[in-house]
């Protein structure tokens, strides 16, 4: 069901549109992988239920409107609460996709659709525990919940200015919350190609120097007795340190270190246009108006918390590793980055004729 409200004030110079919705989706098409002893490698079933409920708000305001100048803006905001009500066969959880480094995307009963799971650390009073050698202690073999891939809310702010025949408009989009795991950063640190693996340490020396030459790192954590860690780890020789080197989730760090807040703010669109004066079209009866415009899209990521790449980008479908991921390739790529392409700025010049 859906409830809506539309309000307009002052000759429609202020307009509000509000909607509340509540829906339940039943019998989702789900791929199941049975034992191959059955003679089948996979079959599809109808099962499970997902609930969505949320709010959508839109506010349009025209604060200035004269014969020569006008300005109006629109604010959009929406929040969706998603929850898995049940799964096929009464199972408590279902693995939507599995990725490298034992990362999973999971649907779990009672939780939002799309939970990231992977390796985590052991903690003491919320701080990471280190062993006697100063290395992090990872959690047990059980995978931990590392976050959800869906945002808390999304919004946008569009603006339009008109001065006589000139029109300028721009749109700012935002997404708040959600998480993304970056295999690119995980692998980049493990292989030592990222800047932070060759930066200066707390002593002001290159951390890849030997301990004798002032190198090494002290991991931020506490010992078993709750005291701050002060043991320096030598990171000058990755081959000698082996699996304990504190870079990459296949070595001394957990996948938790490569799960980031997926929030972002973007300048999504920018456009400037010009309507040719009517006196230039007076002799042309067939053409009522000619508009020239220059527009750009994805021009600027104003804010993000994920280094090196666009948090809105998902993994290409070719990187997904199981059949469930291929079936749900669009959903399965959300919250996971592997081989992400750079975001492309797009420019366009348009000529529009009104007949």
């Amino acid at each position: 069901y859906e409830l809506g409200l539309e309000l307009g004030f002052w000759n429609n110079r202020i307009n509000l549109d509000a909607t509340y919705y509540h829906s339940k989706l039943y019998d989702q098409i789900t791929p199941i992988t049975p034992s191959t002893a059955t003679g089948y490698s996979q079959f599809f079933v109808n099962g499970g239920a997902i609930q969505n409920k949320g709010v959508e708000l839109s506010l349009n305001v025209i604060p200035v409107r004269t014969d020569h100048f006008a300005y109006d803006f629109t604010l959009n905001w929406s929040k969706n609460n998603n929850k898995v009500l049940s799964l096929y066969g009464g199972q408590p959880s279902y693995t939507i996709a599995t990725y490298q480094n034992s990362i999973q995307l999971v649907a779990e009963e009672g939780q939002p659709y799309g939970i990231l799971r992977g390796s985590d650390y052991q903690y003491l009073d919320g701080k990471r525990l280190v062993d006697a050698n100063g290395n992090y202690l990872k959690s047990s073999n059980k995978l931990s919940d590392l976050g959800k891939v869906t945002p808390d809310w999304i919004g946008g702010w569009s603006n339009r200015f008109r001065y006589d025949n000139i029109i300028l408009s721009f749109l700012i989009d935002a997404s708040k919350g959600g998480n993304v795991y970056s295999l690119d950063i995980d692998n980049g640190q493990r292989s030592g190609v990222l800047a932070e693996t060759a930066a200066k340490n707390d002593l002001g020396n290159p951390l890849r120097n030997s301990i004798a030459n002032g190198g090494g790192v002290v991991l931020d954590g506490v010992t078993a007795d709750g005291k701050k860690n002060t043991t320096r780890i030598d990171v000058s020789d990755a081959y000698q340190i082996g699996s304990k080197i504190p870079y990459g989730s296949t070595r001394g760090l957990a996948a938790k270190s490569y799960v980031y807040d997926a929030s972002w703010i973007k300048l999504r669109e920018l456009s400037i246009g010009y309507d040719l004066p009517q006196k230039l079209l007076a002799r042309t009866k067939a053409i009522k108006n000619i508009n020239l415009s220059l527009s750009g899209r994805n021009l600027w990521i104003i804010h993000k918390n994920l280094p090196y790449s666009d948090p809105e980008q998902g993994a290409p479908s070719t990187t997904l590793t199981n059949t469930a991921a291929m079936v749900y390739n669009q959903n399965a790529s959300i919250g996971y980055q592997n081989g992400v392409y750079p975001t492309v700025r797009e420019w366009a010049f348009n000529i529009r004729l009104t007949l």
Side-chain angles (χ1 to χ4, degrees):
Y1 58 86
E2 181 176 304
L3 301 175
L5 176 67
E6 295 183 13
L7 300 173
F9 304 94
W10 291 288
N11 293 323
N12 289 326
R13 293 185 63 168
I14 297 179
N15 294 277
L16 175 65
D17 190 342
T19 302
Y20 172 80
Y21 61 88
H22 185 287
S23 68
K24 292 181 181 180
L25 307 175
Y26 295 96
D27 295 331
Q28 304 299 291
I29 299 176
T30 305
I32 300 296
T33 305
S35 169
T36 53
T38 62
Y40 298 92
S41 60
Q42 188 177 59
F43 66 95
F44 292 85
V45 298
N46 290 101
I50 298 177
Q51 174 181 276
N52 286 283
K53 60 180 180 179
V55 176
E56 297 176 348
L57 301 174
S58 178
L59 175 66
N60 175 257
V61 180
I62 307 175
V64 181
R65 184 168 59 190
T66 68
D67 292 338
H68 297 282
F69 179 77
Y71 165 59
D72 69 273
F73 67 87
T74 300
L75 292 171
N76 291 296
W77 184 87
S78 64
K79 178 179 178 62
N80 180 66
N81 291 320
N82 175 286
K83 185 168 69 172
V84 177
L85 300 179
S86 64
L87 296 167
Y88 173 76
Q91 56 187 320
S93 65
Y94 174 78
T95 302
I96 302 167
T98 57
Y99 310 113
Q100 289 179 245
N101 298 348
S102 301
I103 304 298
Q104 295 181 351
L105 183 65
V106 177
E108 183 172 309
E109 186 175 332
Q111 299 294 326
Y113 179 85
I115 299 294
L116 286 171
R117 281 188 180 162
S119 57
D120 200 351
Y121 299 99
Q122 296 183 34
Y123 297 90
L124 179 64
D125 297 330
K127 298 179 180 179
R128 296 177 184 176
L129 273 171
V130 299
D131 60 19
N133 297 316
N135 299 303
Y136 283 132
L137 289 170
K138 292 185 180 181
S139 58
S140 62
N141 292 330
K142 181 180 179 181
L143 298 179
S144 303
D145 290 350
L146 304 180
K148 63 182 180 69
V149 301
T150 52
D152 297 331
W153 56 264
I154 58 175
W157 179 35
S158 64
N159 295 263
R160 185 176 183 272
F161 301 85
R162 179 189 61 80
Y163 179 74
D164 287 336
N165 292 357
I166 301 174
I167 299 175
L168 172 68
S169 63
F170 65 89
L171 169 63
I172 295 177
D173 274 349
S175 177
K176 172 64 176 176
N179 298 101
V180 57
Y181 165 78
S182 175
L183 181 66
D184 296 333
I185 299 178
D186 193 337
N187 288 342
Q189 281 203 356
R190 177 179 54 80
S191 58
V193 300
L194 299 185
E196 53 264 33
T197 66
K200 292 186 177 181
N201 61 14
D202 57 314
L203 301 176
N205 302 317
L207 57 84
R208 289 187 183 179
N209 285 359
S210 65
I211 296 292
N213 292 321
V217 295
V218 179
L219 298 179
D220 183 19
V222 296
T223 56
D225 57 4
K227 295 182 180 179
K228 183 176 177 61
N229 176 42
T230 58
T231 303
R232 190 170 298 275
I233 301 175
D234 187 353
V235 295
S236 60
D237 191 338
Y239 290 102
Q240 181 178 352
I241 302 167
S243 63
K244 291 298 183 180
I245 189 170
Y247 300 114
S249 63
T250 57
R251 289 181 166 172
L253 296 186
K256 176 71 172 180
S257 292
Y258 304 102
V259 174
Y260 299 87
D261 177 16
S263 301
W264 50 262
I265 302 173
K266 295 182 178 184
L267 176 59
R268 180 72 72 184
E269 294 179 356
L270 175 65
S271 174
I272 184 168
Y274 179 69
D275 289 327
L276 293 183
Q278 288 297 315
K279 63 181 180 181
L280 296 180
L281 306 176
R283 297 181 180 179
T284 306
K285 297 181 180 180
I287 300 177
K288 297 180 179 180
N289 184 59
I290 298 178
N291 176 267
L292 310 176
S293 65
L294 176 66
S295 62
R297 183 170 175 81
N298 293 326
L299 300 181
W300 180 24
I301 301 179
I302 301 171
H303 168 77
K304 65 186 179 75
N305 298 306
L306 173 68
Y308 303 114
S309 61
D310 183 349
E312 199 176 13
Q313 295 282 73
S317 60
T318 53
T319 67
L320 305 178
T321 58
N322 64 4
T323 307
M326 291 301 186
V327 173
Y328 295 118
N329 55 16
Q330 185 173 3
N331 288 336
S333 68
I334 299 173
Y336 172 78
Q337 292 197 339
N338 175 17
V340 173
Y341 302 125
T343 302
V344 177
R345 294 186 180 95
E346 300 176 357
W347 292 94
F349 179 73
N350 300 291
I351 300 176
R352 185 173 59 192
L353 305 180
T354 303
L355 302 181

